Amino acid sequence: MDFTFTKEQLHWQMAAQKFAHDVVAPLARKMDEEGIMPQSIIEQMASHGFLGGSIPKEFGGSGMDSLSLALTYTELGRACSSVRGFMTVHTSLVMQCIEQNGSEEQKKEFLPQLASAKLIGCYCLTEPEAGSDAGSIQTKAERTEGGYILNGEKIWITNANLANLAIVFAKLPAIEGAKPHASITAFLVDTNSKGFIRKKMPGKELGHHASDHAHITFDNCFVADTRVLGGENNGFKVAMSALDHGRLGVASGALGVHQACLDACVDFVRSRKQFGSRLGDFEMVQAVIADMKTSLEASRFLVYNAAWKKDQGISSTLETSMAKLHATEAAVKAANEAVLLHGGRGYSNEYPVERYLRDIKGLQIYEGTSHIQKIVIARNVIGK
Ligand code: CAA
């Protein structure tokens, strides 16, 4: 494996770094305090081609390879996890899922509009009684004249209050003798449909304050039969394939948060003096920086390796789960150490490290917790 960046990879990394530095970072604290991501950030991400991600140009995408997309997420994640999270759901969970599982008509209809942010996408899997156990969702789909009627409830759906298009997972009547996940079907649902009812998730969240998380109720919501994504009763595999894309985005975002923690700590220990010396001259502080850097590089290689494998067309589920597990766990540790190293200043939002710590906990949970990644990894190694 040669991770010398190609011209194209360098282009996307530099473009994302500049956008994150010039546009996102200056607003990150305000977005965190006010709990809103300005629409202009989404529009600019579309105009820079970031939202087009790895979708082929013929469908309005940017045709990035997986490493370019990972580098883009890392740079955005360095500045703000809410902005990176918006894009991962929109571009990886939704657009890559449609590209992989959609019909030609569905791809032509939706992908160009999603790439240009004319449409915003969300991915509706999680329910009150089905988080990690995604196969046990209870939302029902009943066949009716020309389509299906959906009834049920979804929670924690990122981007859903902004979205125009939702990928919704629901169960058709159970197939006798088959496993519970066997009747799950994916539907492309217009969020303005009658019976698609959404509201903000209740409660104040620890981090990701500028992210939009919704509770959705489906009350006899009609969806046409042309809007089945990936075939009837194939929805669980559609859901899992989308998560393979999304989890690589989360791992890349965690790398960005980890890098931001290291950058903040290096700046701080170079300038802050205690006991007559720079903090960086104390060996205990040096040990923290050394561990932070080493675990960052380990995460980086796992993320790049998963992206590389994906681009070879080889199944990368195992590598992606290892990257998400390691990158998020290592970044949580780095953020924790960063707050400690900054002392009282780290505990205040005068410095960004407390936001990194609050935000990174979300990456450890969404798109499959660390425990779920361990299940995926172990099953790939041992067999189920
Ligand atoms: N790609 C394609 N197919 C896959 C797959 C993959 N990555 N992983 C599994 N499958 C297939 C299996 O081959 C199997 O196929 P058969 O029916 O033909 O046998 C089928 O799916 C069922 O697989 P399992 O028996 O392994 O399923 P399971 O019920 O034991 O669950 C699990 C496995 C990995 C734990 C899964 O349930 C899981 O990933 N859970 C976590 C869910 C999750 O990440 N939720 C987050 C949702 S999104 C979010 O966070 C919020 C947001 O807004 C974005």
Side-chain angles (χ1 to χ4, degrees):
M1 257 159 282
D2 176 6
F3 291 132
T4 313
F5 294 158
T6 62
K7 246 169 109 177
E8 187 211 1
Q9 288 158 352
L10 268 177
H11 160 78
W12 287 113
Q13 186 188 39
M14 290 301 134
Q17 198 175 88
K18 183 166 169 28
F19 175 74
H21 179 269
D22 295 353
V23 178
V24 182
L27 288 174
R29 181 169 160 192
K30 187 168 187 275
M31 287 194 283
D32 181 60
E33 280 176 354
E34 296 179 358
I36 296 171
M37 187 191 311
Q39 175 68 21
S40 64
I41 288 199
I42 300 173
E43 286 162 7
Q44 288 181 73
M45 281 200 283
S47 66
H48 279 84
F50 301 142
L51 298 188
S54 60
I55 302 304
K57 292 191 176 156
E58 63 177 302
F59 296 118
S62 299
M64 296 181 197
D65 61 11
S66 299
L67 187 51
S68 299
L69 186 56
L71 294 168
T72 303
Y73 284 135
T74 300
E75 294 305 328
L76 293 177
R78 265 172 97 171
C80 175
S81 286
S82 295
V83 170
R84 195 277 314 148
F86 166 87
M87 182 179 154
T88 302
V89 170
H90 179 83
T91 300
S92 289
L93 274 185
V94 175
M95 293 175 70
Q96 288 188 281
C97 179
I98 295 174
E99 201 236 326
Q100 185 175 353
N101 300 290
S103 64
E104 278 302 294
E105 292 72 37
Q106 289 170 341
K107 291 188 216 181
K108 278 187 193 143
E109 179 174 357
F110 296 118
L111 292 176
Q113 298 195 71
L114 287 160
S116 62
K118 280 202 187 91
L119 293 180
I120 301 297
C122 66
Y123 171 93
C124 309
L125 180 64
T126 304
E127 299 185 358
E129 302 306 326
S132 290
D133 183 8
S136 71
I137 59 166
Q138 294 302 314
T139 296
K140 290 199 172 15
E142 275 178 88
R143 288 189 191 88
T144 186
E145 179 82 36
Y148 306 81
I149 300 286
L150 306 184
N151 278 292
E153 206 183 342
K154 300 284 177 183
I155 57 169
W156 285 117
I157 307 304
T158 309
N159 299 352
N161 289 302
L162 302 168
N164 324 79
L165 181 70
I167 299 180
V168 180
F169 298 90
K171 272 183 177 161
L172 283 166
I175 304 163
E176 232 183 274
K179 293 179 195 157
H181 67 259
S183 64
I184 295 178
T185 301
F187 299 93
L188 290 161
V189 182
D190 179 342
T191 59
N192 288 316
S193 306
K194 193 160 172 265
F196 188 107
I197 303 154
R198 51 193 159 163
K199 60 179 187 203
K200 199 176 165 352
M201 279 300 288
K204 172 100 174 155
E205 291 154 30
L206 178 66
H208 286 78
H209 288 168
S211 289
D212 161 29
H213 295 130
H215 174 283
I216 303 174
T217 308
F218 298 95
D219 181 10
N220 289 318
C221 179
F222 175 78
V223 48
D225 49 19
T226 52
R227 297 293 161 97
V228 170
L229 178 67
E232 270 194 4
N233 300 324
N234 194 38
F236 194 73
K237 287 182 185 169
V238 172
M240 292 298 120
S241 69
L243 285 168
D244 281 344
H245 299 303
R247 286 170 183 168
L248 188 52
V250 178
S252 311
L255 205 56
V257 176
H258 195 150
Q259 180 73 62
C261 290
L262 180 63
D263 295 344
C265 286
V266 169
D267 276 355
F268 191 69
V269 304
R270 276 181 178 154
S271 57
R272 172 83 170 149
K273 278 195 173 164
Q274 288 291 278
F275 306 103
S277 296
R278 295 186 320 164
L279 287 191
D281 294 330
F282 293 102
E283 284 186 5
M284 223 186 288
V285 170
Q286 291 171 358
V288 170
I289 299 291
D291 286 345
M292 214 183 267
K293 172 71 175 165
T294 306
S295 59
L296 173 69
E297 296 311 320
S299 295
R300 195 188 308 282
F301 281 110
L302 285 168
V303 169
Y304 290 5
N305 181 50
W308 174 83
K309 199 134 190 225
K310 198 169 174 187
D311 283 336
Q312 308 310 302
I314 310 166
S315 165
S316 55
T317 300
L318 169 65
E319 288 73 14
T320 296
S321 281
M322 291 193 297
K324 183 181 187 283
L325 174 67
H326 192 279
T328 56
E329 293 289 324
V332 167
K333 198 162 173 231
N336 210 12
E337 290 288 2
V339 170
L340 190 59
L341 207 67
H342 280 71
R345 289 165 166 83
Y347 198 61
S348 145
N349 75 350
E350 285 300 306
Y351 284 74
V353 287
E354 61 84 36
R355 173 166 55 83
Y356 301 153
L357 180 59
R358 286 187 287 106
D359 283 349
I360 194 63
K361 289 302 292 179
L363 282 76
Q364 226 181 1
I365 297 168
Y366 57 59
E367 302 200 30
T369 63
S370 291
H371 299 121
I372 289 297
Q373 305 314 319
K374 287 182 187 179
I375 291 174
V376 174
I377 295 162
R379 283 183 182 175
N380 268 276
V381 175
I382 305 167
K384 198 180 166 192

